[in-house]
Structures are given as C-alpha cells and as structure tokens.
Amino acid sequence: MSPTQSFNPLAHVIETEPHLAAWLRRHRLEAALTHIVRTHLPRLAAGQVRVTDVRGGQLELTVPSGALATVIRQQIPELLAALASHSREFNGIRVRVQPLAASMIAPAPTPRRPPPAAAPLQALTKKLSDGPLKMAVSRLIARR
C-alpha cells in the first residue's frame, strides 16, 4: 500500500460493518444502563455490578457473589424507579451471579522482609571456613 493511500479510522470501520455496529450499540447501551444502576446503589456494591443483557423488557445484572446478589435484589424496586426516571422502562431485573475468574483477581502481595543486618553476617563469614557457604554469605553482604 502506498503512503498516499489513506486508511479508514477504526471507528469508521466499526460503525459501517453491520455486526460490529450492532455490538457497539449494545455496548454503549449496556454502559449507559450500568452507569444509571451504579449511581443508585450503595457505593461498595456499585462498582461490582454491571449490566450484561437487555432482552424482552428484562434487564440482567451480573455480580460476583451471592451475598451481593441478595443486596441488589433488595434494591430492585428502587432501581426500576430510577431507570424509569431516565426514560428506561423495564418489566423486571434479573440478577445473575458470575464469580470472577482466578486470573482476574489480583494476587495478594507477598510481604517483603527487610534485608538482614550486615554486622552479624560479617561476623559469620569470619567464623566460616573457606567454601561455598562463605562465598554465598559474602555475596549477600556485597549486594546490600
């Protein structure tokens, strides 16, 4: 391809291809509904809820735990009223539990130990006979 030929911007490609355009519209709708729902939930619960489907007048919310699903189910009447106030009418809301994959959960940080004090290690090297242990302790001291 010559440098004089221009490329279509990715946004234009997505909007003109029918299947991708439908997915983009769905994503935007779900994002807008998620924002509305999250603004009407308690702060600790809001960040873990997302809209995953809008079908047949039903709104489907996905949460990572059963305990959170119980909290959200208690809020359904208020959520329906809030959505109606934003011109989004739904017959009901389904809450689905979908635990996070292990790969999505950040591993707990391992606690870092402070480096050992140099004075006891230097005293130890004086007591050790020449060999691999003495060399290893000497290298440890040198790295500090």
Side-chain angles (χ1 to χ4, degrees):
M1 200 172 232
S2 72
T4 58
Q5 290 178 327
S6 64
F7 290 97
N8 283 332
L10 183 58
H12 178 71
V13 172
I14 291 173
E15 291 170 356
T16 57
E17 205 284 316
H19 286 87
L20 292 177
W23 287 344
L24 182 61
R25 282 191 303 276
R26 178 180 171 184
H27 172 71
R28 287 179 178 160
L29 174 64
E30 288 175 358
L33 292 172
T34 297
H35 177 71
I36 294 169
V37 167
R38 285 180 175 178
T39 58
H40 292 88
L41 288 174
R43 184 179 296 174
L44 293 175
Q48 301 181 54
V49 177
R50 62 188 171 91
V51 173
T52 52
D53 199 5
V54 179
R55 204 179 306 177
Q58 291 278 325
L59 183 67
E60 182 178 274
L61 303 177
T62 301
V63 296
S65 70
L68 185 57
T70 302
V71 170
I72 301 303
R73 285 185 186 108
Q74 293 173 353
Q75 300 286 325
I76 286 178
E78 290 85 4
L79 290 175
L80 288 171
L83 290 163
S85 71
H86 286 86
S87 302
R88 307 286 186 162
E89 296 286 334
F90 292 99
N91 300 330
I93 296 176
R94 284 184 33 210
V95 181
R96 185 173 63 137
V97 176
Q98 184 177 20
L100 292 175
S103 63
M104 295 176 72
I105 300 172
T110 55
R112 296 199 63 169
R113 286 185 265 155
L121 292 175
Q122 289 170 342
L124 177 64
T125 55
K126 291 177 184 174
K127 293 178 185 176
L128 291 173
S129 60
D130 289 337
L133 181 58
K134 186 173 185 174
M135 290 174 35
V137 173
S138 297
R139 281 194 307 262
L140 180 62
I141 294 169
R143 275 194 249 154
R144 298 190 81 244

